[in-house]
Amino acid sequence: MKILLINTPRSPENRILEFAPEAAKPFIHKRLIGPPLGLMTIAAAVKDHDVLLFDTKGEFDLSSEHPSLTALVKKLVLEFRPDIVGSTAITSELYYAWEIFTEAKKIDPGIITVLGGLHPTLLPYDCFHPSVDVVCPGQSPHVFREVVRSLDKKTTLNAIPGILLNKGHGLVRTAGKPLFWDAADADYLMPDREPLKRWISTYKVGGSPFPSTYIFTSLGCPYKCTFCSIWPQFKGKYYQRTVESIISELQLIPDYPVVRFADANTVVDLDFMNTLFDRILEEGIRKTFIMDIRADVASKHPGIIRKMAKGGLKVVICGFESYRDEELKKYRKSSPASDIAKAIGVFHDNDIMIRGNYVIPNDYTEDDFRAIEDYSASNPVVYAGYTILTPMPGTVFYKQVKQEITDYDYLKYNFFNSVMKTALPYEKFHERVGSLWLIKKGKDVI
Ligand code: B12
Ligand code: SF4
């Protein structure tokens, strides 16, 4: 079978950037960079077939003169002539998956389209669209393999448990539950980065001359923050990879001196991280590591931070979210505001650059903005990022504020646009969030 996997482009909607003061604009995130780990894993699952993986994010970053998405899909489909087109979608990119599938089917109505990823996992029925034939929720490389096998052998897809099939009037789930796929451990599939070589020059962060890649050491998260999509994606479970499989993967990627851990939360099991970094040092693996670490972990366990710094940890992204305990409690962050200052101290003691991220709720008034400005300016973080507290569909927060949502355009669900009524006038609110980026400004895209 010929399988074309297309990574969706990113949503350009960014009201923070649009309304920010000119001076702040250079510092606001415009894009995040990284290879599509999910699709790379899907490609690895069907490697016995003829697979073409195309990263539109990388392609659009290569040149500002890039063709439109439909023109690009048309060219790919006409040249490759796939039997199956697959794509992946987070919430803000769902419409692009539909656009890709619509164009593919326009050229060849016989193409079967398959959608997977975070949004289809959280809200599979929400993915209904005339262009979508099959939805595969969850960690589903094995399910996709079955779909391909069934299409190849021309057997019915109804026999594959737990997928959703487009029956014209809507998506209908097939009977049964798919077999558990131990994506992090026994069934881990090493992503093949070779097909991404074309875009390697675009995978650079923070002014580094070296390309970066993502690897995950775990999936899911044991915490339950109300605004977060990740723990619902994994139904609250946390899966850890083995130390040796991570070591092998790190040894296989000499082209990527910078490695960002794609974990929701990298340091959960301290013994695991201790062993991993012992092995990294033992094997002489020299890379710059970037990871997400919670403030409470750093403040309570400075020893592990010291160990990781020795092994190459240079940049940490820390979701501060808020400096107010009442807000942190509301978000179920399980980490008091006092941990922030302690964590900053630990990271700085170990020469680790830290980006602290805050989420700004829609009800912030001028006084609240002034208060966060004072707080953020007073702590010694190198970089800080400020995004909007967004009710991502499928989260607890979405259910809590459903009645207050005013905008259901998924393109805006990327943390850069308010989709709820704001206390300040709409434009002013985004302008104020934008102006926060002037504090601790850094042009990197971490
Ligand atoms: C790597 C990553 C990226 C990468 C690559 C994503 C891509 N596809 O291009 C980059 C850096 C580009 C990226 C960008 C963004 N991201 Co991001 N990203 C992640 C991250 C850290 C890891 C995802 C991952 O690789 N997981 C591991 C893989 C193996 O799992 P997976 O992707 O789910 O894939 C499996 C299944 O879903 C399924 N599957 C997936 N695709 C397909 C396709 C088919 C056909 C099938 C059958 C199955 C299937 O099988 C896969 C293998 O088991 C997550 C956070 C996290 N820790 O989960 C956020 C996350 C997914 N990102 C998020 C967001 C919001 C963004 C941005 C919008 C952020 C922003 N404000 O700018 C941007 C988008 C574009 C931009 N503005 O630049 C949110 C999504 C929330 C939501 N509900 O939509 C997350 C959850 C982070 C968060 N804090 O909430 N991201
Ligand atoms: S915000 Fe971070 S700590 Fe909270 S549930 Fe999500 S990944 Fe876990």
Side-chain angles (χ1 to χ4, degrees), residues 221-225 227-231 264-265 294 321 333:
C221 181
Y223 297 90
K224 305 274 178 300
C225 304
F227 55 77
C228 181
S229 310
I230 299 168
W231 67 266
N265 200 351
R294 286 172 52 101
E321 328 302 3
K333 186 75 196 175

Side-chain angles (χ1 to χ4, degrees), residues 174-189:
T174 54
K177 227 173 119 185
L179 281 178
F180 174 65
W181 176 256
D182 193 356
D185 192 352
D187 300 317
Y188 179 70
L189 281 172

Side-chain angles (χ1 to χ4, degrees), residues 290-425:
I290 304 174
M291 57 178 82
D292 287 66
I293 300 180
R294 286 172 52 101
D296 57 336
V297 170
S299 73
K300 285 192 200 98
H301 308 287
I304 187 72
I305 307 298
R306 201 175 315 120
K307 164 75 99 27
M308 294 192 296
K310 259 208 213 144
L313 174 61
K314 297 247 168 32
V315 183
V316 163
I317 295 102
C318 199
F320 293 164
E321 328 302 3
S322 171
Y323 65 95
R324 287 174 170 154
D325 277 326
E326 67 272 21
E327 284 175 355
L328 290 169
K329 270 202 194 116
K330 209 159 76 185
Y331 305 154
R332 300 204 313 225
K333 186 75 196 175
S334 312
S335 173
S338 54
D339 282 340
I340 296 176
K342 290 184 210 152
I344 294 169
V346 172
F347 291 129
H348 283 179
D349 285 349
N350 291 287
D351 290 329
I352 292 169
M353 190 194 102
I354 167 170
R355 168 183 280 283
N357 285 335
Y358 297 90
V359 290
I360 309 298
N362 59 316
D363 60 1
Y364 262 26
T365 61
E366 236 348 290
D367 286 346
D368 295 312
F369 276 105
R370 269 194 294 271
I372 190 170
E373 258 161 8
D374 289 345
Y375 176 83
S376 183
S378 70
N379 74 40
V381 160
V382 180
Y383 296 120
Y386 310 82
T387 52
I388 295 171
L389 179 64
T390 305
M392 289 296 186
T395 61
V396 169
F397 183 51
Y398 180 90
K399 287 188 202 117
Q400 288 173 341
V401 298
K402 200 168 182 302
Q403 306 309 324
E404 295 164 51
I405 297 176
T406 50
D407 194 337
Y408 286 92
D409 174 7
Y410 279 170
L411 288 173
K412 299 205 189 82
Y413 284 67
N414 62 357
F415 308 138
F416 283 95
N417 310 280
S418 178
V419 296
M420 291 159 69
K421 197 168 164 14
T422 47
L424 288 177

